[in-house]
Structure formats: structure tokens, C-alpha cells
Amino acid sequence: MQLELYQIDSFTDKIFHGNPACVVPLKEWLPDEILLKITRENAVAETAFFIDKGETIHLRWFTPEIEMDLCGHATLAAAHCLVSILNYKGDRITFETKSGLLTVEVKDGMYYMDFPSRMPEVSTLPDIIVKSLNIQPKEIFQSRDYVLVYESEQDIKKVQIERSIFDTINLDPGGVVITSVGSDCDFVSRYFTPQSTILEDPVTGSAHCSLIPFWSSRLGKDTLFARQISERGGELYCENKEQRVIVAGKARTYSVGHIYIE
């Protein structure tokens, strides 16, 4: 069996930046075991698989370890693949997913993803995570992910994770996002997942389901510009809309090819 394979850099307009995701269109669903094996072979944080059902497109996301409930950069990659490579007609895509129906609007090379809002609540941090951090946060919140608030962008850049400690906790399917006000944007973040093949995710769209309502409330504004300051880096254009958030970004195609399944 021959399948098409596309690798897309999401939340960037430059190759080798943003977050790489693989996209594999399917005619019918393969066993989950095969989907996981494909994802491991792809060796990126997420692979998106989709089936075009006409009015909607059934979309699933896999890390090398598990199926995810929501992934922003792989959704953006799938939308970019459909529009820029597969000649999808229309400026609005409706994805059928584990997180319900998700729409993506396409305008002037930007992809506007309509995601659920996940306002984090005040929480406490497990001792394992506390011990794994070289700099402690000033505030702790949680939704799907732990949201750790720091004093400044410089603190965010200096945070290091002791992986041998961090990997002793399982937050499936969540992770730890660290965040602060940005120096040249509204807010910055970094994202870490314990027991994951890739410790630090380059750009995490789904984490902004919590970051957007949080910083919208803190800063008193509904339209925000964010940067994820990983080594690759990425830019996110955000809007708070009560029960929903808009996470928008650009994308670039890195490679086009095929994979072969026996």
C-alpha cells in the first residue's frame, strides 16, 4: 500500500522554523497500531491523518506514543496541505475530531483555527515537577496542561527541565506550559511533555486554548500576538471569543513524498 506523506512547518513562514508535522491522507482508517508505527517512523511530534468525507474531514492526531485529543500545529498542517497541495476548494474547512467539529478559515495565507477555550484554574504543582524545574513559577494554574506563570520572558528562556526527574510523572495527554508577558509581544511560552519522545514541543497550538483566555483576562484585551520561544520558535495570532478561541498562523511545506505499508 502506497500512501502520500507531506511534512509541513506550522506557525511560521520560514522553513526550519515553527513546528514540523506530517500529514497523511487516507481513504479508510488503518488499525491504530499501524497509525502509531507510521508516526514513530516519521519522527516528528505529531502526525495528522485525515479522510475527506465531503462536507467534513475526519481528522486524527498521533504522537509517537498516543492518540491526542487536540493538536493545533498538526491541524494547521492538515489545512495547509489541503489548500496549498491538494487543491481543496473553499476558504473554510470543517474537521470532525475528538474535540468536536473544528473549523479553519483561510485568508491571505493565514489559517484561523476555531478551538475550544480551556480557562486554567488555580492549582498546585506535583513535587516531581517542582523538583524538575531550575526556576520556580510565581503562579500555578491547570486545565488540560499545567500553566506556570513566570515573572519575565528572561525567566522563561532560562528555565531548564531535569528530564530524569520530569519523566517519572505521566500527564497523559497533557503537559507543562511555562509563560510570561512578552518583551515584544503580548505573551510568550514554552511547552514540555514528560515521557514523550520530544521533551520540548517547538510550537503548541492546543496549549493556547488555555493561554489565550488567561492572558486575555490578565491584559484586558481579546486580540493578542504570541510567540513560543523554543529553539525553532513560532508566532501565533490569537483571539479570545468567550467559549472559543481563535489560534491563527502561517505554514510552509517542507517535503512531499510517499510511504509504503506492507
Side-chain angles (χ1 to χ4, degrees):
M1 180 187 298
Q2 176 180 294
L3 301 174
E4 296 171 342
L5 174 68
Y6 306 98
Q7 186 163 323
I8 312 293
D9 289 339
S10 297
F11 294 115
T12 183
D13 59 0
K14 300 176 182 178
I15 294 296
F16 306 125
H17 292 75
N19 200 351
C22 287
V23 181
V24 180
L26 298 173
K27 298 296 184 184
E28 59 184 21
W29 290 113
L30 301 173
D32 288 4
E33 178 186 359
I34 299 299
L35 300 181
L36 278 167
K37 286 182 176 179
I38 293 171
T39 303
R40 293 185 191 119
E41 195 77 11
N42 289 340
V44 295
E46 305 266 356
T47 295
F49 300 90
F50 70 76
I51 295 175
D52 190 341
K53 299 173 64 177
E55 292 186 1
T56 63
I57 293 174
H58 193 180
L59 176 65
R60 298 171 70 186
W61 313 275
F62 284 79
T63 74
E65 295 82 24
I66 61 170
E67 181 174 6
M68 290 294 291
D69 64 331
L70 181 64
C71 179
H73 84 279
T75 301
L76 197 163
H80 179 75
C81 175
L82 283 160
V83 171
S84 69
I85 302 172
L86 302 180
N87 298 315
Y88 181 87
K89 303 303 180 184
D91 55 8
R92 182 184 178 93
I93 304 168
T94 301
F95 289 114
E96 180 183 337
T97 79
K98 278 197 165 187
S99 290
L101 293 179
L102 304 177
T103 61
V104 180
E105 294 193 8
V106 186
K107 183 178 180 182
D108 299 328
M110 187 82 76
Y111 299 88
Y112 297 83
M113 300 182 290
D114 186 327
F115 280 178
S117 177
R118 296 172 168 170
M119 184 67 165
E121 298 180 353
V122 174
S123 184
T124 57
L125 205 56
D127 286 343
I128 289 172
I129 299 178
V130 171
K131 292 175 181 176
S132 70
L133 294 167
N134 67 325
I135 304 174
Q136 297 303 315
K138 67 175 187 176
E139 295 177 89
I140 301 163
F141 299 87
Q142 186 180 15
S143 52
R144 180 195 72 175
D145 309 307
Y146 283 100
V147 178
L148 311 185
V149 181
Y150 283 80
E151 187 67 37
S152 68
E153 182 173 327
Q154 287 304 311
D155 284 342
I156 299 297
K157 292 177 179 178
K158 292 176 182 177
V159 167
Q160 296 180 6
I161 299 284
E162 177 52 62
R163 188 162 192 178
S164 63
I165 300 173
F166 192 60
D167 278 351
T168 61
I169 193 170
N170 187 334
L171 301 178
D172 178 14
V176 175
V177 58
I178 61 175
T179 186
S180 76
V181 171
S183 59
D184 65 348
C185 60
D186 290 300
F187 65 91
V188 297
S189 66
R190 293 171 66 195
Y191 188 91
F192 304 90
T193 309
Q195 301 182 10
S196 175
T197 302
I198 299 173
L199 172 64
E200 181 172 359
D201 193 41
V203 194
T204 317
S206 61
H208 286 72
C209 293
S210 295
L211 293 172
I212 292 170
F214 176 83
W215 285 112
S216 175
S217 176
R218 281 286 172 99
L219 300 176
K221 56 194 301 189
D222 288 331
T223 302
L224 306 107
F225 174 57
R227 296 186 190 276
Q228 194 151 329
I229 52 174
S230 62
E231 182 177 348
R232 290 175 63 102
E235 298 180 342
L236 305 97
Y237 301 82
C238 311
E239 184 179 354
N240 188 46
K241 299 183 70 175
E242 297 183 358
Q243 301 303 312
R244 309 291 294 180
V245 296
I246 302 298
V247 184
K250 299 179 180 180
R252 289 286 304 276
T253 302
Y254 172 69
S255 67
V256 176
H258 297 90
I259 57 178
Y260 300 90
I261 308 299
E262 294 183 353

